[in-house]
Amino acid sequence: MSIVDTAKQATQGLVQGAMQKLVPLAPDSWIPGGRPDPLIARKHGLIGKPTSRLDGALKVTGEAGFAAEFRFDAMTYAALAYATIPRGRISAIDSIAAENAPGVVVVMTHRNAPRMNTPGVFGSSPTAVGPADLPILQDDRIHWNGQPIACVLAETQEQADHAASLLRFSYDEDPSTTSLAGAKANGIEQGLFMGQPLLNHVGDAEAALGTASHVVDQVYRTPRHSHNPIEPHAATIAWVDGELMIHDASQMVTAQAQTIGDVFDLDPGQVHMTSPYVGGGFGCKGLWDHQIIGAAAAKLAGRPVRITLSREGVYRVVGGRTLTEQRVALGANDDGDLDAIIHTGLSIMTPHNNMPEPFILGTRAAYACPNITLQVEVARMNMLANTFMRAPGEAVGTFALECAIDELAVDLKMDPVELRIRNEPDKDPVSGIAFSSRNIVEAWRAGSERFGWAERSALAGETRDGEWQVGMGCATGTYPYYRMPGAQARITLSRDGDTVRAKIEVAAAEMGMGTATTTAIVGAERLALSMDQIEIGYGDTSIPGAIMAGGSQQTAAIGAAVIAAHNALVAELLRLAGNDSPLAGLSADAVGSVDGGLAKLDDPSCRESYASILARAQRDSVTVTEAASPPLELMHWSMHSHSAIFCEVRVNAVTGEIRVSRILGSFDCGRILNPKTAKSQFRGGIIMGLGMALMEETQFDERNGRIMNPSLAEYHVPVHLDVPEIDVLWTDIADPHTPMGAHGIGEIGITGVAAAVANAVYNATGKRIRDLPITLDKLL
């Protein structure tokens, strides 16, 4: 990263640190969520009822348009060529054969690419979402094996792919670091995440560990993971009258458009980006080199471009989860009370971005303990920039912590569930602030009963079914409640005679989790209208505000923005109602939405319909736009989603084959808004966790920094036969301090799964695997 970017992050970190000291001291009433959202009290409305996704029929019938399905006239098709060394310079390019190939429109390299600014790296400003602080096709430098170094445009995709295969490059290699040992030897530094150091000290954990009656002290390792959304990355791009139009698959539409605009010296209004449908994201559908290359190629050729990454291209261009080495040391007394928690270790990054795997985040609030040391250090390698991947930090950190807890339970001869419940904290163990809502014990109890945990044998390797060894394991998971700043909502209330409709627009992204449906449910409840009276707009830079689909925070961000916009709408409707309305003279605080209109909160008979108010004001519609309140609740309370994962495995004693035969997730995530889509989210996360536990691993050649398994034939993910029936339940206890009482659910599903599987494998075989994935060679 540049000195300027590092300074910006340091400044942001200082400001955030000061706020974290002051905000907890404020009265609850000063904080968003200090008064419970009125929707929490509604027990018989739309919230909590299973509702089918609004976009479901469109996707099933093929009417949903994805990024690579948009068309412009005279469109060209792009193919990329990738570097095959980890570091150095391009010394020569032979492009004659490619340029003369059938259908080729242009071959773009650093020699003829338009001049562009370096994209702002993620975190360097509120709107910067670049993957690294590297110029794109502006010089001859190579920074990783797989870097895009040329783009071919042709009349068809097949012609472009063929021509790209004809390009030949020569290199002058520079010394590079492509091994873990080399990265360590070059030096280790303190890790930062979102501008804050990944470092916490409470008490003296090493001293407490030295005097503990029972000690577990082990190292756990997790490998690289690559993103594999069903929809590979793609964008359809055109320059129209000096403005840039991009149809993309993006989790961060507004910020991404602004970052691309800065690359081409465009004002925000000169970049129009849409992303109505995203075929899976999980943290990877953001800004990478291909969108900027596509826009540059369209500018160079003077024609629209469709750029679609092949599956291999995704592995070369799009980052994933980086590897970790984690030490977890636990000390406890004979009763199982924790007296020391040490969770430290190493994560790997590139020299050009600042995205370590923050594996200690979940440990901060996991267990009551008077002595805690947490730290993530980083070393750097010349490789593809790593990025967010579902439950960044928590997914891999929980594997280490929860395996260690299981090892401690074995040493104590204590039931693993009871050990966890015994160490349940009454306040945040690191920050000392109160939890906004924490009902994980209820989740543990309900899950234990439903799964039949009491039938588990405490002796490892005791239960057999023929040549199959059978075992049960469990793990807890936690993922923070987030609500990022920048969210706005625009509500347009319109009438046609006595018929009223509302359009709610938010700068959000829909990538398969049912965001539009949940927004419609919340909007209908907030406005006291039916679902068929609500229309949702999203995924377009013409909508004000910025909402990133990440960090399991989009529902909270949208909910807070809709609260603010609804309050503004009520005030505007009261102004329009005038003195002839039954509501005349009432303040906005005294009025709420009831049955298609406004009514006095303590006297619902004093009311007027929306249609009547608009008709008297001689208006067909009214529009309000409002920003959500700053997310100060994050600093005032310790806020988290929680999981209790139970797993049964069968391990073949002859072949070492592992089969997960049963798995259950019991969740504490506040109020569940739509059980139908929530169940899908939980199950999807659990399946991704099974992949992490048993098969997913990006094979990285430490000789030359090349990813060696860049396809779904070689990078294994769970298929139907790998996945048993997944049981899911939840507490459904509302958090009084969040919009709708809800917490995020997108990432808690994966958290804890790998540890539960590993602990079940130990219970089945007596073999403790501390190095993911758990493959049969490690059991034989």
Side-chain angles (χ1 to χ4, degrees), residues 12-35:
Q12 291 167 4
L14 288 172
V15 173
Q16 188 174 355
M19 293 287 287
Q20 286 176 336
K21 292 179 180 179
L22 295 174
V23 172
L25 303 177
D28 287 0
S29 59
W30 291 10
I31 305 297
R35 291 188 298 173

Side-chain angles (χ1 to χ4, degrees), residues 424-509:
E424 176 68 5
D426 58 3
K427 62 181 179 180
D428 190 291
V430 170
S431 69
I433 60 178
F435 291 111
S436 64
S437 172
R438 187 176 173 113
N439 302 288
I440 184 60
V441 173
E442 286 87 338
W444 273 115
R445 298 295 187 207
S448 296
E449 181 177 354
R450 183 116 134 214
F451 192 73
W453 181 255
E455 300 171 10
R456 168 186 176 272
S457 171
L459 295 177
E462 184 178 72
T463 304
R464 296 285 292 250
D465 180 10
E467 64 184 35
W468 293 92
Q469 300 170 287
V470 184
M472 293 186 193
C474 68
T476 196
T478 180
Y479 190 79
Y481 164 92
Y482 287 124
R483 182 169 71 84
M484 298 178 189
Q488 296 184 41
R490 181 165 63 202
I491 301 178
T492 300
L493 191 68
S494 58
R495 72 178 180 95
D496 182 3
D498 292 332
T499 302
V500 172
R501 295 187 58 79
K503 183 174 184 179
I504 301 173
E505 296 172 281
V506 287

Side-chain angles (χ1 to χ4, degrees), residues 53 390 512-513 674-687 728 730 745:
R53 278 172 29 183
R390 198 172 197 168
M513 64 284 212
N674 185 358
K676 192 169 187 176
T677 53
K679 193 170 290 187
S680 234
Q681 280 280 83
F682 289 136
R683 285 176 171 157
I686 288 171
I687 292 169
V728 171
W730 49 75
I745 63 173

Side-chain angles (χ1 to χ4, degrees), residues 403-691:
C403 285
I405 289 287
D406 197 73
E407 296 196 47
L408 182 62
V410 171
D411 186 60
L412 287 162
K413 297 181 174 58
M414 182 178 291
D415 182 274
V417 172
E418 294 307 317
L419 176 61
R420 289 173 170 87
I421 292 175
R422 182 176 186 85
N423 287 282
E424 176 68 5
D426 58 3
K427 62 181 179 180
D428 190 291
V430 170
S431 69
I433 60 178
F435 291 111
S436 64
S437 172
R438 187 176 173 113
N439 302 288
I440 184 60
V441 173
E442 286 87 338
W444 273 115
R445 298 295 187 207
S448 296
E449 181 177 354
R450 183 116 134 214
F451 192 73
W453 181 255
E455 300 171 10
R456 168 186 176 272
S457 171
L459 295 177
E462 184 178 72
T463 304
R464 296 285 292 250
D465 180 10
E467 64 184 35
W468 293 92
Q469 300 170 287
V470 184
M472 293 186 193
C474 68
T476 196
T478 180
Y479 190 79
Y481 164 92
Y482 287 124
R483 182 169 71 84
M484 298 178 189
Q488 296 184 41
R490 181 165 63 202
I491 301 178
T492 300
L493 191 68
S494 58
R495 72 178 180 95
D496 182 3
D498 292 332
T499 302
V500 172
R501 295 187 58 79
K503 183 174 184 179
I504 301 173
E505 296 172 281
V506 287
E510 170 64 88
M511 55 182 178
M513 64 284 212
T515 296
T517 309
T518 302
T519 302
I521 290 170
V522 169
E525 286 282 79
R526 195 81 65 193
L527 293 165
L529 297 172
S530 63
M531 279 281 284
D532 59 9
Q533 292 175 281
I534 300 291
E535 178 186 354
I536 303 298
Y538 60 92
D540 194 313
T541 53
S542 66
I543 299 171
I547 302 173
M548 184 176 79
S552 297
Q553 63 89 44
Q554 190 168 236
T555 296
I558 293 170
V562 173
I563 287 173
H566 177 250
N567 290 339
L569 179 66
V570 170
E572 179 63 12
L573 287 172
L574 285 176
R575 188 186 69 79
L576 293 175
N579 295 327
D580 294 332
S581 170
L583 304 171
L586 295 177
S587 68
D589 290 340
V591 175
S593 291
V594 178
D595 193 21
L598 298 182
K600 190 177 180 185
L601 292 175
D602 58 4
D603 181 10
S605 64
C606 178
R607 66 177 304 278
E608 186 172 9
S609 70
Y610 296 138
S612 174
I613 294 172
L614 290 174
R616 185 186 309 103
Q618 298 182 331
R619 296 279 292 271
D620 292 327
S621 66
V622 59
T623 299
V624 296
T625 301
E626 198 68 31
S629 58
L632 298 178
E633 72 271 22
L634 301 175
M635 300 177 185
H636 193 73
W637 294 284
S638 183
M639 310 178 82
H640 310 268
S641 293
H642 302 99
S643 66
I645 307 294
F646 298 85
C647 178
E648 179 187 82
V649 302
R650 300 164 67 84
V651 182
N652 193 291
V654 178
T655 67
E657 177 188 358
I658 304 170
R659 288 287 175 192
V660 177
S661 49
R662 287 193 298 138
I663 193 160
L664 176 147
S666 182
F667 297 96
D668 173 43
C669 300
R671 188 94 179 269
I672 297 299
L673 304 182
N674 185 358
K676 192 169 187 176
T677 53
K679 193 170 290 187
S680 234
Q681 280 280 83
F682 289 136
R683 285 176 171 157
I686 288 171
I687 292 169
M688 203 165 174
L690 293 178

Side-chain angles (χ1 to χ4, degrees), residues 195-251:
Q196 293 283 289
L198 290 165
L199 178 65
N200 298 98
H201 287 292
V202 178
D204 189 338
E206 289 287 0
L209 188 72
T211 60
S213 303
H214 297 266
V215 173
V216 168
D217 194 344
Q218 298 289 349
V219 174
Y220 304 84
R221 294 178 173 86
T222 62
R224 295 174 175 83
H225 295 141
S226 290
H227 277 289
N228 285 283
I230 291 176
E231 175 203 28
H233 296 63
T236 306
I237 304 168
W239 290 86
V240 181
D241 297 329
E243 297 188 354
L244 185 58
M245 178 71 210
I246 305 175
H247 299 293
D248 197 12
S250 175
Q251 297 175 234

